Every structure is written in C-alpha cells, then in structure tokens.
Amino acid sequence: MLPKNRAVLSRFKNRSKYYYKYLSSQSSVGEIDVPFSNGISLKLSTGKYARFADGACVATLGNTSVLSTVVSKAKQSSSSFLPLVVDYRQKAAAAGRIPTNFLRKELGPTEREILTSRLIDRSLRPLFPQNYFFDTQIVCNMLAVDGTNLPETVAINAASAALALSDVPWNGPVGAVRLGQIENELIVNPTRRDLEKSSLNLVVAATTGNLVVMLEGHANIILQQDLLKAIKLGTKEAQAIVRSIEKLQKTYGKVKREYETQPPLDQSIVESVKTLSSMKIREILSDFSHDKTSRDNAVSELRQTVLNQLRDTEVDVTLLQECFNSNLKQIFRDMIFETDVRCDGRGLDDLRNITCEVGLYEPLHGSAVFQRGQTQVLCTVAFDSPESALKMDTLTMITSGLKEKNFFLHYEFPSYATGEVGRTGGPGRREAGHGALAERGLLPVVPQQNCTVRLTAEVLESNGSSSMASVCAGALALLDAGVALAAPAAGVAVGLVSRAQGGALHDYRILTDLLGIEDYMGDMDFKVAGTKKGITALQADVKLPGLPLKIVMESVQKACDAKSKVIDIMNQCIDKPRQDRKDTLPVMEEMEVEVHKRAKLLGVGGSNLKKLYLETGVQVTAIDDTRYSVFAPSPAALDEARARLQRALAADRAPDLEFGAVYSAKVVEVRDIGVLVTLYSGMSPALVHNTQLDHRKIMHPSVLGLDVGSEIQVKYFGRDPVSGQLRLSRKVLSSPPPGIVRKLDKS
C-alpha cells in the first residue's frame, strides 16, 4: 500500500516519443447520483478503488454494485483495428455464495458473462476514435448483487464512466437503461420480479443528443409502436446518465492522452491507387452475376494487380492495401447512393431468393434447411426427458430467477461456412451471442413443453445474417416436429450506409436483408425477429458514434415489413404443425407404484432403472412418493419398458392381506430388536419388534425359544403410512400374565 505522500512516475516509450503516467495515491474521491424519472437513482463513485488503472468507477443501483476499470497500453499495436477486450466477471462472493464446482472457485466465463461482455463492448466500441489502435482492456467486476436490480446496465454505466474519467481517448460518455412493459406501461430499470411479469426486456445505450449507440432486447410479441415508444423513453432516460458522467469527468477526470497516428500516404500514391483501381472496382460491383466467392476473388486479383504495379514506390505493402480497401469501401457506398441498387442487383428493400425444406431425415424429430441467398442454415430439433434441461449456475439463478431451461438453441458456425480452414472445438463468444439472440427470437412462440427441447442451428453457408436465418430455420424445424407454435417466427437484418457533413449525418440509405459485404462496408447491423403481429427479439450493432432516432424508427419499420414477407414464403413450405406423428418421436406417461413396491421398482441403488435406461433408453423419474414419470425415446421403447416394469412388479405381487386377520408367519432371521418373518413365499421379510412378541419386556427373542424356521401366529394391522412396511403383532394373540400379588405387611 502506498504512503499518502507517495507517487509513481511511469515512463512508456512509443517510437520516438516518451509518454508519462502520473500514478498517485492521493486521488480525490468523487461521487454523483443520477436520478431517473421513476425516483430510482444510480450512484457513480471514483477515486477509491483501483487507482493504478487508467480509469475506474463503481456504479451502484440499489444494492447491486459493479467496479469497472480501464487500462490502455501506451504503445500502439500492429493491428489496423481497435484491439479492445471487455471482460465481465460474476463473483459468487458478491451474492454471499460459494461456487459449487469441484475447486469451489470461479472458473472460465459462463454464457451469461460472455453475453454481458458483448453487451458492454457493443455499447462502447463505436465511440473510440477511428485511428486509435492501442490495446485496451475493460474489466467489470461484480462487487455486490442483491438479486433485485440486474447488473448488466450497471456494468455498462460503470465502464462508460471509467472511460470518461480515464486519459484514454474516447468520444463518450454513454448511458444505458433497461426498460420493461407491464400492462402497457413502460418501466425504467425494472427489477427481477418486474421482468417476470413484463412483456419487454430492452437495454438501450445512448449518448449525447439522443443518439442511439446500442440496442438489445427480447419481448413477448410486442407491437411495433410499443417498442418504438420504449426506445424513445430509454434514449431520453440515458441523457441523465450522460450529463452526470460529464459532470463527474469535469471535476475528477484526467486529461486525454495524446497519441501518434500513422502519417497519411503521399497524395500522389493515393491518386495512383484510385486511378489504377476505381474503374475496375465499379465494374466488379456493378456485375450482378457475381456471387460472394467470385466477387471476393475478383477484388483480390485486382488488389494484387495494383500492389504489383506500385511495387517500385517503396511504400509499405500494408499501407497500400489499406489505401486500396479504403477506396473500395468508398466506391461501394457511393454506388448505392448514386443508383439505389446494391452489388447483387437488388433494390434497397428487396429480399434475396429464399427456399425452405423440412423433413430432411427420418430419424430426426424435426429438421429444416433455410436458404436465403448464399446463407444456408440447417436446424434440427431433439426432444429429451425433463432431466435433460439446461441447469443454470448459482449467480444466474439469483440475477435472473431462472433455475433451468427446457428450451434452448445452440448455434454452430464452422469454418467451412465461409470456405476457410479454422479450428474446431467449443463455441466462441460470437457463437454464444448469435445463439442467444436466435433463442430469444423463438422462445415467445414455443408453448410450454413437458419435455426438454433442444434446437441445433448449424450454418452451412454464410453470406450475411446467419443468426436471423437460424430463427427462420428453427421455426420451420419446430413445425416439422409437431410443435404448435403460437405463430410462425422469422428474422431479418437491416443495414445502413450514410454520409456525414459537418459532423452530422447528411444522407443515408437503409438496406434490407443485409449481405456480408454490406455488413462489412456499412454502418449498422440491425437484427429484428418476430411474428407478423409483433417483435420477439432485436439487436443493433452500430459502427457510427450514435444513430438518430429517425433512422432507428425507419429501420424497425423496414425490418418488420421484410419479416412479414419472409413468413409468407415460409408458410408456403409449412404453415402448421405436422399432423402425422413420427415413429421416432419420444413419448411420456405417468405410472403409479405403491410405496411398499418402490424397492422392487428401483432395485439396489437404482440398479433396475439404470439397467432399463441402458437397454431401452427409457428414463423413469419420481414425481412424488407414488407417481413416476416414464420418458421413452419411441413408442416401441415405451411398450418394451412397460412390459418389463409390469413383470418386475407382478413377479412379487403380494396377496391381499385382510386387516385384523391372523396369519402364520415363518421366522427367517433373529435380531436383537426382534425377528424377521415372512407370511408367504417371495415376500420381503417384515420385522416383528420385541415389544410386539410378548406382553413381558424381553431383551432378545431367544428367551421365547424363537429361532430361524420357527412358526408363530401374528395379527396383521395394515401398513405403516410412511415406510410402507407391514405392521404385525404376536402379543395381541396371547393373554397377559396374571399379576403378582405383593404383600406390604411383612409380619
């Protein structure tokens, strides 16, 4: 720990310059409260924790607190993009818990941590300077969580404040709020219990001037006008956070650091690149016969030709490539403004050709392939027992109130989908994010199932908007599996190209059904999923430092129009659940087993049920003391399992015993506490306790002359209501011994 008067001067060398960072322990502590319209306030504080970081801030909402830190290297990286890494970590200690894994500590990031990290990244990245290529890391640590206020928006605001307070160049701040809707009333920053009743869960991140930076949310088929109203309210509420962070920055913020940028290429070189490439680029982009591969190949060949012709200029090849790519991007965007026609010949609002097919393979419970242009997704449905539900980790349970999911979607994006060679293994952050978006898009239309449903969306070809194609393929596969959806669902991505003048948007074009190259060259990727009636999920990735509300409103409208057209095409393939049941579909039923037969059903250590599962695939699960759920992968397996269970229970079928009747019992074992007897062959031995053998108090049955093989008469008093064991008594059949006459007079 530094003494109060201690300071550290760190020197960083960057090319020909030295940069200095003054690290002092005498940081002034500052805090500010951000009031919302509903009376709730967000507290931002700085200067107390993590003072060696470039910037740090603690954001608190209710009793949920998140510490966010920012550190950026002083040396520029060699990459031509911003190497920003955002890590959000949930701590079990923040909820007063201990992790339940073997090591009892936090391990790798969970799915919720990955999704929250992506949420923070997408809210902050658009506001970094275009030429800032320094390694930057933002770490958000959960300090405390109350299980009422969700930490995601708290983390975004903490990271925004930390960046604003730091010396890292950034054009923020941003403010983030969550919105819900209960009975047509919008709620700002709803609690966990509010969200359980809410038809909307929307996160809006906005910056100064009511500019939208990021949108993400899901809804229970919310109407378009209600969603737009929520976006407007969220943008308005975010302005209070932005103003408060700016106020905190003026008092406690650091001066933004100066950084070196790459000197621009000589103008003659730039003109040479344009002269050699512009005409050919226009020819390639106006040739509508090109597909993704041929267009990319033509551009690559042209790029290599230009580089070869400029080899003698002694300019770094990387800089020449960047100059060529910049010219390509500018021409690509200019041609859309000039002709309102895109590189594949479509108009601004046109969809690509769509084909659908269901029922691909007989063994599958449900399957479909959805082809939109050169994006192809194969989706399969698998039904399994309720025990196969996806269990949530402890902190996810606390913050979301969800213990397990019996409907989930897994998204796979192999390298061959783009014709590349890549690694195979577990899903990365991108796959987790796209899978979660597609799952949220389908969840509101899937009815509650008594089994677990898993959707697997595998991207076979990718040329834009594979996550929205997964929504379409998933809906088709569910109908093929016989699931009665509330309504068919589909998704579409909308893009944007814009022109700026005087620092503000001057002109723009909205592109419906985004291509991969349009996503790369454009300014926005806005994904919207839902039914014809309303919206179920949305996600907006913006590359500009904020979008006006007008563009957001128009984009939602165009996405909804395109979504309805896609659903019409899907309905031509399949518009209602499959009526004829497949032989491969699983079946479930309930069975009742009396308490005293439970041991026969289960076997030693559950061996009978384990053997049944291994040999037939049938799972038997206890519902309560007498009812069991039987899940079979097929009707044939259920018939076989039913016959086995009936034989097991009938083989040891007990005769009906009459209450109060007297039976002859055979002693099979003598114990200190009594004797074990059987009333009939094959019966599980029942205990006759010492207290029920004789009226006199005995310590061992041998005093009555009882031994293995002895026969005694017992009276039957039914079964114990808890254990199910027989209640037998011998002493009630004999008379009590006469009392001993004792004389008190000893004379």
Side-chain angles (χ1 to χ4, degrees):
M1 188 173 181
L2 289 173
K4 290 185 178 180
N5 59 353
R6 175 80 179 274
V8 178
L9 192 64
S10 297
R11 183 174 72 169
F12 301 94
K13 185 175 182 181
N14 184 10
R15 296 188 180 179
S16 60
K17 288 189 177 182
Y18 287 93
Y19 294 92
Y20 295 88
K21 293 171 68 176
Y22 184 76
L23 307 175
S24 174
S25 63
Q26 291 183 307
S27 300
S28 54
V29 178
E31 63 179 47
I32 192 169
D33 285 334
V34 184
F36 294 108
S37 59
N38 58 356
I40 301 174
S41 63
L42 172 73
K43 179 181 175 183
L44 300 172
S45 61
T46 184
K48 187 175 181 181
Y49 301 128
R51 287 172 290 188
F52 280 179
D54 292 334
C57 179
V58 176
T60 303
L61 183 66
N63 286 322
T64 296
S65 298
V66 176
L67 167 66
S68 181
T69 59
V70 179
V71 176
S72 185
K73 286 186 177 181
K75 183 179 179 181
Q76 185 170 354
S77 70
S78 58
S79 57
S80 58
F81 60 90
L82 172 64
L84 172 66
V85 176
V86 178
D87 286 315
Y88 168 83
R89 295 310 304 268
Q90 298 180 147
K91 301 297 178 66
R97 299 294 181 90
I98 296 176
T100 55
N101 56 64
F102 178 75
L103 297 176
R104 297 296 187 268
K105 65 179 181 180
E106 286 80 8
L107 301 177
T110 63
E111 182 183 19
R112 190 177 182 89
E113 289 173 324
I114 291 173
L115 296 179
T116 306
S117 298
R118 285 172 54 86
L119 197 69
I120 300 169
D121 185 302
R122 294 183 4 249
S123 302
L124 306 178
R125 188 181 290 270
L127 296 174
F128 278 91
Q130 293 290 332
N131 54 1
Y132 189 75
F133 304 138
F134 295 76
D135 288 286
T136 306
Q137 185 179 33
I138 299 173
V139 179
C140 299
N141 279 328
M142 182 189 290
L143 300 180
V145 61
D146 56 10
T148 300
N149 299 284
L150 303 186
E152 288 84 1
T153 53
V154 181
I156 296 174
N157 291 321
S160 171
L163 270 171
L165 293 164
S166 73
D167 63 344
V168 178
W170 190 57
N171 300 321
V174 300
V177 295
R178 187 186 298 272
L179 295 123
Q181 185 184 47
I182 301 177
E183 296 178 354
N184 296 323
E185 182 181 352
L186 291 174
I187 300 174
V188 179
N189 290 324
T191 63
R192 179 175 62 82
R193 292 196 174 185
D194 290 336
L195 288 176
E196 292 175 359
K197 300 175 287 184
S198 174
S199 59
L200 173 67
N201 185 353
L202 175 68
V203 176
V204 179
T207 187
T208 310
N210 290 327
L211 297 178
V212 177
V213 179
M214 192 278 304
L215 294 171
E216 175 146 342
H218 58 277
N220 187 14
I221 315 182
I222 191 173
L223 298 178
Q224 179 182 334
Q225 59 267 28
D226 292 336
L227 174 66
L228 299 180
K229 193 184 302 182
I231 295 174
K232 288 181 181 178
L233 177 61
T235 306
K236 179 182 176 182
E237 293 287 341
Q239 300 309 302
I241 303 174
V242 172
R243 289 192 295 269
S244 298
I245 294 177
E246 288 175 342
K247 187 176 180 181
L248 196 67
Q249 180 185 6
K250 286 180 182 178
T251 308
Y252 303 100
K254 299 177 182 178
V255 177
K256 297 299 182 183
R257 71 177 69 164
E258 296 180 0
Y259 62 97
E260 276 194 352
T261 59
Q262 188 70 38
L265 275 177
D266 186 84
Q267 189 61 32
S268 62
I269 300 295
V270 175
E271 292 299 328
S272 298
V273 171
K274 289 183 178 181
T275 302
L276 293 171
S277 63
S278 295
M279 189 66 68
K280 292 293 180 79
I281 289 174
R282 285 183 172 272
E283 290 179 7
I284 294 171
L285 295 180
S286 59
D287 185 354
F288 304 144
S289 63
H290 278 307
D291 60 8
K292 171 184 169 66
T293 305
S294 61
R295 186 185 301 111
D296 289 348
N297 290 339
V299 171
S300 296
E301 290 175 5
L302 176 60
R303 182 188 295 111
Q304 191 58 49
T305 301
V306 172
L307 294 179
N308 291 337
Q309 291 175 332
L310 296 175
R311 186 181 301 168
D312 298 334
T313 59
E314 297 182 357
V315 179
D316 186 8
V317 175
T318 304
L319 297 179
L320 290 176
Q321 285 182 336
E322 291 178 1
C323 181
F324 177 89
N325 293 339
S326 177
N327 187 41
L328 170 65
K329 181 177 181 179
Q330 189 59 48
I331 293 174
F332 181 89
R333 297 162 68 93
D334 289 344
M335 289 180 67
I336 294 176
F337 281 103
E338 293 166 6
T339 63
D340 284 345
V341 177
R342 295 146 77 174
C343 64
D344 59 352
R346 288 184 294 151
L348 300 180
D349 299 332
D350 293 343
L351 298 174
R352 289 173 284 175
N353 292 330
I354 296 175
T355 58
C356 311
E357 187 180 353
V358 297
L360 305 177
Y361 301 101
E362 188 61 32
L364 302 178
H365 298 161
S367 59
V369 63
F370 180 84
Q371 181 97 39
R372 177 159 49 194
Q374 286 184 294
T375 296
Q376 184 184 69
V377 176
L378 170 66
C379 198
T380 59
V381 179
F383 298 106
D384 211 327
S385 66
E387 286 67 43
S388 300
L390 186 62
K391 307 297 188 295
M392 300 290 102
D393 61 276
T394 305
L395 276 178
T396 301
M397 292 183 197
I398 293 173
T399 55
S400 68
L402 188 66
K403 293 184 178 179
E404 61 182 23
K405 293 195 296 186
N406 67 346
F407 171 78
F408 48 91
L409 184 147
H410 288 154
Y411 171 93
E412 300 174 4
F413 193 95
S415 56
Y416 61 76
T418 52
E420 298 173 355
V421 177
R423 70 173 184 88
T424 57
R429 288 192 171 198
R430 178 183 177 277
E431 285 81 359
H434 284 208
L437 176 62
E439 179 184 311
R440 292 196 296 264
L442 288 170
L443 183 60
V445 302
V446 178
Q448 185 64 35
Q449 302 287 316
N450 57 3
C451 59
T452 301
V453 182
R454 180 190 184 228
L455 275 174
T456 304
E458 184 171 357
V459 181
L460 305 181
E461 301 173 2
S462 177
N463 188 17
S465 188
S466 58
S467 61
M468 292 297 95
S470 299
V471 175
C472 302
L476 293 170
L478 287 167
L479 290 174
D480 181 56
V483 178
L485 300 181
V492 70
V494 173
L496 174 75
V497 290
S498 61
R499 285 176 171 171
Q501 185 175 3
L505 283 182
H506 171 64
D507 196 8
Y508 63 90
R509 298 290 187 273
I510 296 175
L511 311 177
T512 302
D513 189 11
L514 206 59
L515 276 176
I517 189 173
E518 292 169 341
D519 183 11
Y520 179 74
M521 303 284 190
D523 300 324
M524 179 184 73
D525 181 7
F526 194 168
K527 306 180 183 72
V528 178
T531 65
K532 279 193 171 184
K533 180 181 177 182
I535 294 167
T536 57
L538 74 155
Q539 184 183 91
D541 292 337
V542 180
K543 299 178 185 177
L544 299 174
L547 285 179
L549 283 171
K550 178 186 176 184
I551 296 180
V552 175
M553 305 300 165
E554 288 185 28
S555 300
V556 173
Q557 179 63 54
K558 288 184 178 294
C560 290
D561 293 343
K563 169 169 57 72
S564 297
K565 296 177 183 177
V566 175
I567 292 175
D568 288 336
I569 298 173
M570 291 166 54
N571 286 341
Q572 296 174 10
C573 177
I574 182 170
D575 60 349
K576 58 184 179 181
R578 177 190 286 269
Q579 300 300 316
D580 53 321
R581 181 182 178 84
K582 291 185 177 181
D583 295 335
T584 56
L585 284 180
V587 288
M588 289 184 67
E589 70 174 22
E590 286 188 13
M591 63 179 292
E592 283 201 22
V593 178
E594 298 174 16
V595 175
H596 64 280
K597 297 180 182 178
R598 185 166 49 193
K600 296 297 181 184
L601 174 70
L602 302 179
V604 180
S607 58
N608 290 352
L609 299 187
K610 292 177 183 177
K611 182 179 179 182
L612 184 70
Y613 176 69
L614 291 173
E615 294 181 356
T616 65
V618 175
Q619 289 181 267
V620 180
T621 309
I623 300 174
D624 53 33
D625 287 344
T626 59
R627 293 188 303 139
Y628 291 82
S629 170
V630 182
F631 178 88
S634 66
L638 179 63
D639 293 340
E640 182 182 353
R642 190 188 291 129
R644 288 191 180 201
L645 293 174
Q646 288 175 353
R647 283 198 302 269
L649 296 174
D652 296 323
R653 186 173 182 84
D656 294 331
L657 301 178
E658 182 182 350
F659 187 90
V662 178
Y663 295 95
S664 177
K666 184 177 181 180
V667 179
V668 295
E669 186 179 346
V670 178
R671 296 184 178 178
D672 291 343
I673 60 172
V675 293
L676 295 177
V677 301
T678 57
L679 305 184
Y680 51 87
S681 61
M683 168 187 164
S684 296
L687 176 68
V688 182
H689 198 269
N690 285 341
T691 57
Q692 298 299 324
L693 287 175
D694 199 86
H695 290 281
R696 293 165 295 183
K697 182 178 180 180
I698 61 173
M699 301 304 294
H700 196 276
S702 59
V703 300
L704 300 177
L706 297 179
D707 200 356
V708 176
S710 301
E711 290 194 1
I712 59 175
Q713 300 292 316
V714 294
K715 193 170 186 178
Y716 174 66
F717 288 101
R719 293 182 177 273
D720 186 279
V722 177
S723 65
Q725 297 296 319
L726 274 63
R727 295 189 295 188
L728 303 173
S729 177
R730 174 178 176 267
K731 74 175 183 180
V732 297
L733 300 178
S734 60
S735 303
I740 301 174
V741 179
R742 299 182 182 274
K743 293 182 179 182
L744 296 178
D745 187 5
K746 296 182 180 180
S747 58

